[in-house]
């Protein structure tokens, strides 16, 4: 009985901050507070009417889109080599790809400052794309590799024996066979990139800024409820993506051991 | 390379070997396949059947030797350039396509799209799958999947169709039914089939010629009748059907007759000399099929024997006998009302006719 109460309490408690953020975004007061004073949509109007906010949101979306695409394509190539061609040291290579998961993000931030400045990419969009690719690759690689392990290599041989040239086999047989993995990979890396704060914080500059980092720095400066409105929008957006993901493949595809 | 072979030879395997990590999966195999022939590769698991098939298909490159198609060396051509179809053991149907698109794939890949619809439908009806065109491959039964795989690989009318144990996953009844159908389709299309199985009954009932393989080598290549009745090695005799082995030593060889003293008896066998015959004094075996062993004092030769056990299987009874020449199996027809079966411990004379004997090098 007690364990049940604890379980229910935890389940209620987990989404509580989200509920509070969403509720407080509808306040009519000029400062962040909870419970809210009156109901209004003025902070949403301010967010969506602000060229600055819309620009950073655009940057974040573009960054996440490019990052997810590049990560997924790179993962497909890497997984192909490891799973299909059984390259030497394949498992070592896989482990290296997954290290950004366990490496402290603050340390990655520092390393990336050094790396990007030596490349001359610090504070640029290109630099952010590179870093976001590195950060999302672990999330992109696993579903792609899992899908590839599940796909039957005889499918490609069957296609070849039917006279299909390699490019046709790739587009019509190999890619469709791993499509669930690719979709999962794209959606997951998009979400990870779109929500990334810790490492990105080290690397933004006057010419490039992402939405979550902008939220963070606004919080430090002011307690304007517009931040709650932005956050609520982020929550909504991310939930929508997860919902789509679950509909298309089912979350267990990613959680499952490959 | 010019074509020096007879016109009927469509596929020639010329001294082909495949080495994996130092192990010879296929060991110096020579094989000719005639146009329109149904050839079976028969052998136990791991003897190299699939590896040989995969080299013909172009999925593996021979370590040495050549594979000639109509006299042209194609050992190193990529698979998609060969006119060779394949039915895979696990079928490998395209899971994201329906039955129609699976069957149409080869025509589209080879850009033979005029008349595509008619040819696809014709093939689908040949394998009896009308009405299933828009089903996904996951929504049909195992036997139907089998038919899709067959239709898919036949629609492009390949020169040779390779089938790697295509029926092994099916239950016995469906298997028998598809064996018959496979033979019918092969006759109707006239396409050369190379069929892999480790089931000797399947091989005997379907093939024009059988290549019996063991440990990467072809032990014997010949008609089903020859493989069964004139096995050339002990392996072939034992693998294809059941047989009795008796041993003896050669006492004289002429160009026509070989005489052999059978161990443990005073019987002197006199059989036609074959390539297997040896010099005087050498050890040899003879193979006698259980169904050729006669009970009672019949046949050219006979030895006294004692019944050890018997097993009844419908039309026949198989006796395990202990004879002066060694253990013998005798399979005799069972006719109800014509006396009782012999009981363990009874003695009987076991014989066999002269032409039931096959000489095999010991
Ligand atoms: N890719 C490979 N790498 C290493 N060894 C292999 C490879 N493919 C096959 N072999 C080995 O070659 C030998 C022959 O294998 P093959 O698959 O041709 O046998 P098979 O006659 O088809 O057997 P089965 O009836 O079980 O399918 C086996 O010992 C197998 O382990
Ligand atoms: Mg095999």
């Amino acid at each position: 009985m007690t364990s049940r109460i604890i379980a229910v309490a935890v389940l209620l408690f987990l989404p509580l901050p989200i509920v509070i953020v969403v509720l407080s975004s509808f306040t009519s007061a000029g400062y962040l507070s909870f419970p809210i004073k009156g109901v209004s949509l003025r902070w949403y109007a301010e967010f969506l009417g602000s060229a600055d906010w819309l620009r950073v949101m655009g940057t974040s979306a573009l960054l996440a889109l490019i990052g997810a695409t590049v990560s997924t394509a790179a993962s497909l190539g890497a997984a192909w080599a490891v799973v299909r061609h059984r390259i030497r040291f394949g498992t070592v290579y896989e482990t290296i790809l997954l290290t950004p998961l366990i490496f402290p993000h603050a340390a990655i931030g520092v390393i990336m400052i050094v790396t990007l400045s030596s490349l001359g990419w610090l504070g640029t969009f290109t630099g952010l794309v590179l870093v976001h690719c590195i950060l999302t690759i672990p999330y992109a690689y696993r579903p792609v590799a899992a899908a590839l392990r599940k796909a039957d290599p005889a499918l490609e041989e069957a296609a070849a024996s039917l006279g299909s040239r390699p490019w046709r086999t790739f587009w019509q047989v190999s890619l469709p066979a791993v499509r669930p993995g690719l979709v999962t990979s794209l959606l997951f890396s998009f979400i990870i990139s779109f929500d990334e704060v810790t490492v990105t914080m080290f690397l933004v500059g006057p010419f490039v800024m992402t939405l979550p980092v902008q939220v963070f720095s606004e919080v430090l400066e002011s307690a304007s409820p517009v931040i709650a409105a932005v956050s609520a929008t982020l929550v909504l957006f991310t939930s929508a993506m997860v919902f789509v993901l679950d509909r298309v493949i089912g979350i267990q595809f990613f959680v499952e051991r490959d | 390379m010019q074509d020096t072979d007879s016109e009927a030879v469509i596929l020639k395997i010329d001294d082909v070997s495949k080495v994996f990590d130092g192990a010879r999966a296929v060991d110096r195999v020579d094989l000719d396949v005639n146009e329109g022939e149904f050839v079976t590769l028969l052998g136990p698991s791991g003897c190299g059947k699939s590896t040989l098939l995969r080299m013909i298909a172009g999925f593996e490159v021979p370590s040495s030797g050549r594979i000639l198609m109509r006299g042209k060396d194609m050992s190193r051509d990529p698979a998609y350039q060969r006119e060779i179809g394949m039915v895979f053991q696990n079928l490998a149907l395209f899971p994201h396509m329906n039955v129609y698109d699976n069957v149409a794939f080869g025509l589209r890949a080879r850009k033979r799209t005029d008349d595509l619809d008619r040819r696809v439908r014709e093939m689908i009806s040949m394998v009896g799958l009308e009405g299933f065109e828009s089903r996904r491959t996951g929504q049909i039964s195992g036997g139907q999947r089998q038919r899709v795989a067959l239709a898919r690989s036949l629609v492009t009318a390949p020169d040779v169709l390779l089938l790697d144990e295509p029926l092994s996953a099916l239950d016995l009844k469906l298997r028998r039914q598809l064996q018959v159908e496979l033979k019918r389709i092969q006759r109707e299309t006239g396409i050369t089939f190379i069929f892999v199985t480790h089931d000797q009954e399947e091989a005997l009932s379907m093939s024009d010629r059988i290549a019996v393989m063991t440990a990467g080598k072809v032990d014997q290549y010949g008609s089903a009748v020859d493989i069964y009745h004139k096995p050339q090695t002990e392996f072939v005799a034992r693998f294809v059907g059941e047989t009795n082995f008796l041993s003896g030593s050669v006492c004289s060889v002429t160009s026509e007759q070989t005489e052999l003293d059978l161990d443990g008896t005073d019987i002197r066998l006199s059989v036609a000399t074959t390539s297997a015959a040896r010099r005087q004094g050498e050890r040899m075996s003879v193979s006698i099929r259980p169904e050729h062993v006669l009970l009672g004092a019949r046949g050219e030769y006979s030895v006294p024997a004692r019944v050890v056990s018997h097993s009844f299987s419908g039309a026949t009874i198989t006796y395990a006998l202990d004879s002066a020449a060694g253990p013998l199996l005798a399979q005799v027809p069972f006719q109800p009302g014509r006396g009782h079966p012999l009981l363990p411990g009874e003695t009987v004379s076991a014989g066999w006719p002269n032409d039931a004997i096959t000489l095999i090098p010991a």
Side-chain angles (χ1 to χ4, degrees):
Chain A
M1 194 59 210
T2 26
S3 65
R4 202 152 153 185
I5 292 171
I6 293 173
V8 171
V10 167
L11 284 180
L12 285 179
F13 179 74
L14 277 179
L16 202 62
I18 296 176
V19 174
I20 293 176
V21 166
V22 173
L23 287 180
S24 52
S25 70
F26 292 106
T27 188
S28 56
Y31 50 90
L32 262 181
S33 61
F34 191 80
I36 57 174
K37 296 285 171 341
V39 179
S40 95
L41 288 174
R42 63 183 276 211
W43 301 112
Y44 285 90
E46 178 164 337
F47 167 39
L48 297 173
S50 145
D52 272 355
W53 278 114
L54 291 183
R55 200 189 61 244
V56 292
M57 189 161 76
T59 307
S60 269
L62 189 66
L63 176 62
L65 199 67
I66 298 178
T69 312
V70 173
S71 278
T72 302
S75 296
L76 182 60
W80 205 276
V82 171
V83 176
R84 276 300 148 77
H85 295 291
R86 299 167 189 280
I87 52 164
R88 295 221 286 158
F89 308 117
T91 46
V92 177
Y93 186 54
E94 267 186 330
T95 312
I96 292 173
L97 284 181
L98 300 181
T99 42
L101 276 182
I102 45 168
F103 219 68
H105 273 191
I108 298 181
V110 173
I111 295 164
M112 283 305 158
I113 289 183
V114 178
T115 313
L116 291 189
S117 35
S118 72
L119 291 169
W121 286 352
L122 193 59
T124 67
F125 186 74
T126 320
L128 285 188
V129 169
L130 178 70
V131 172
H132 277 221
C133 284
I134 293 170
L135 292 175
T136 54
I137 274 234
Y139 299 90
Y141 182 80
R142 283 204 40 196
V144 172
L148 204 58
R149 287 203 167 91
K150 266 192 202 166
D152 180 3
L155 291 181
E156 284 140 28
E157 293 178 346
S161 78
L162 291 164
S164 173
R165 293 177 165 271
W167 65 265
R168 187 187 188 92
T169 304
F170 180 76
W171 286 107
Q172 301 208 344
V173 175
S174 319
L175 264 195
V178 294
R179 181 155 44 210
L182 293 179
V183 175
T184 313
S185 162
L186 281 172
L187 287 174
F188 252 100
S189 26
F190 188 95
I191 293 171
I192 299 293
S193 164
F194 198 71
D195 289 349
E196 214 299 315
V197 181
T198 4
V199 178
T200 316
M201 211 165 62
F202 289 82
L203 309 169
V204 291
F207 306 109
V208 60
M209 179 53 84
T210 70
L211 193 61
V213 175
Q214 181 73 18
V215 169
F216 181 71
S217 45
E218 288 280 323
V219 165
L220 295 183
E221 284 164 23
S222 71
S224 165
V226 75
I227 297 164
V230 174
S231 306
T233 311
L234 269 176
V235 167
L236 181 75
F237 188 74
T238 309
S239 315
M241 298 275 287
V242 173
F243 178 76
V244 170
L245 190 65
D246 190 39
R247 267 302 138 101
V248 177
I249 351 262
I251 290 293
Q252 82 283 358
F253 188 91
F254 181 74
V255 181
E256 203 171 86
R257 244 338 261 147
D258 49 29
Chain B
M1 167 74 209
Q2 69 173 55
D3 189 354
T4 52
D5 307 306
S6 90
E7 222 159 272
V9 173
I10 188 167
L11 183 75
K12 188 178 177 67
I13 315 272
D14 180 18
D15 200 20
V16 165
S17 298
K18 179 72 189 182
V19 182
F20 288 119
D21 316 317
R24 290 187 160 265
V26 171
D27 193 5
R28 309 201 59 177
V29 166
D30 286 304
L31 217 58
D32 283 355
V33 178
N34 292 334
E35 187 133 28
E37 202 173 16
F38 195 121
V39 167
T40 295
L41 306 180
L42 172 67
S45 187
C47 71
K49 306 180 295 289
S50 296
T51 306
L52 182 55
L53 221 55
R54 292 173 57 76
M55 286 191 283
I56 301 173
F59 306 140
E60 306 277 2
V61 176
S63 308
S64 67
R66 297 178 312 162
I67 298 173
L68 306 159
M69 187 79 157
R70 296 216 163 87
K72 191 179 145 294
D73 186 358
M74 58 153 195
S75 327
R76 272 148 192 87
D77 292 354
Y80 59 85
Q81 276 176 9
R82 306 183 186 195
E83 294 282 331
I84 293 182
M86 175 128 175
V87 177
F88 292 78
Q89 179 158 10
N90 67 355
L91 304 186
L93 298 179
F94 304 129
H96 55 284
M97 296 182 195
N98 63 22
V99 169
Y100 185 97
D101 289 332
N102 263 280
V103 176
F105 186 90
L107 290 174
R108 289 179 178 143
R110 294 210 149 100
K111 306 224 157 48
R112 297 182 200 153
T113 44
D114 41 288
D115 229 15
L116 176 128
D117 188 62
R118 189 185 57 77
R119 292 167 71 175
V120 171
R121 288 186 191 284
E122 211 173 82
M123 198 44 76
I124 286 177
S125 100
M126 175 179 249
V127 297
L129 280 179
E130 297 105 325
F132 291 91
E133 287 86 350
S134 53
R135 294 275 191 98
R136 284 295 179 105
T137 58
Q139 301 169 327
I140 52 178
S141 74
Q144 288 163 343
R145 291 161 56 78
Q146 203 66 55
R147 292 158 205 264
V148 176
L150 201 58
R152 181 180 71 174
S153 57
L154 282 171
V155 77
T156 55
D159 287 337
V160 174
L161 183 66
L162 310 172
L163 303 102
D164 194 356
E165 308 201 33
L167 308 180
S168 61
L170 303 174
D171 64 57
L172 197 66
K173 195 155 169 261
L174 193 55
R175 196 175 168 139
R176 294 272 173 271
Q177 185 188 336
L178 280 168
Q179 284 172 3
V180 173
E181 246 178 277
L182 214 56
K183 270 304 272 185
R184 170 183 66 81
I185 289 170
Q186 195 254 341
R187 261 196 318 273
E188 280 175 21
T189 57
I191 291 175
T192 309
F193 275 33
I194 302 181
F195 182 86
V196 163
T197 182
H198 54 245
D199 177 341
Q200 41 110 356
E201 271 182 52
E202 191 165 272
L204 291 173
S205 69
M206 299 180 76
S207 326
D208 296 321
R209 279 197 285 176
I210 300 173
V212 184
M213 292 184 68
T214 172
K217 288 186 194 300
V218 171
D219 248 34
Q220 189 174 348
Y221 185 37
S223 70
V225 173
D226 278 357
I227 293 287
Y228 189 80
H229 290 289
K230 298 198 182 83
Q232 281 166 9
T233 67
E234 179 170 346
F235 176 81
V236 173
R238 284 195 195 279
F239 191 73
V240 183
E242 267 191 297
T243 198
N244 294 301
F245 272 100
L246 303 177
S247 43
S249 29
V250 177
C251 72
S252 78
V253 185
T254 69
S255 56
E256 270 123 50
Q257 292 289 307
T258 302
E259 298 203 319
L260 192 76
D261 283 330
L262 208 54
D263 292 356
T265 67
D266 49 15
I267 291 177
R268 177 164 292 182
L269 298 171
S270 176
V271 287
T273 298
T274 65
S275 57
R278 298 299 169 86
R279 284 192 310 280
Q280 186 175 351
E282 271 191 82
R283 305 285 300 158
M284 289 204 81
S285 300
V286 297
S287 155
I288 302 163
R289 297 285 179 195
E291 64 271 25
H292 295 147
V293 176
L294 306 166
L295 298 184
R298 297 186 291 143
E300 270 102 343
Y301 308 99
S302 65
V303 288
R306 197 175 49 82
V307 176
V308 177
S309 66
H310 68 259
S311 71
F312 172 69
S313 60
T316 62
I317 293 188
T318 302
Y319 293 102
L321 307 170
D322 208 0
S323 83
L328 272 181
L329 288 175
Q331 189 184 44
V332 299
F334 176 72
Q335 288 135 329
R338 292 265 220 102
H340 65 89
L342 296 167
L343 296 175
E346 282 189 63
T347 53
V348 65
S349 133
W352 55 88
N354 204 21
D355 54 12
I357 303 168
T358 308
L359 277 183
I360 288 174

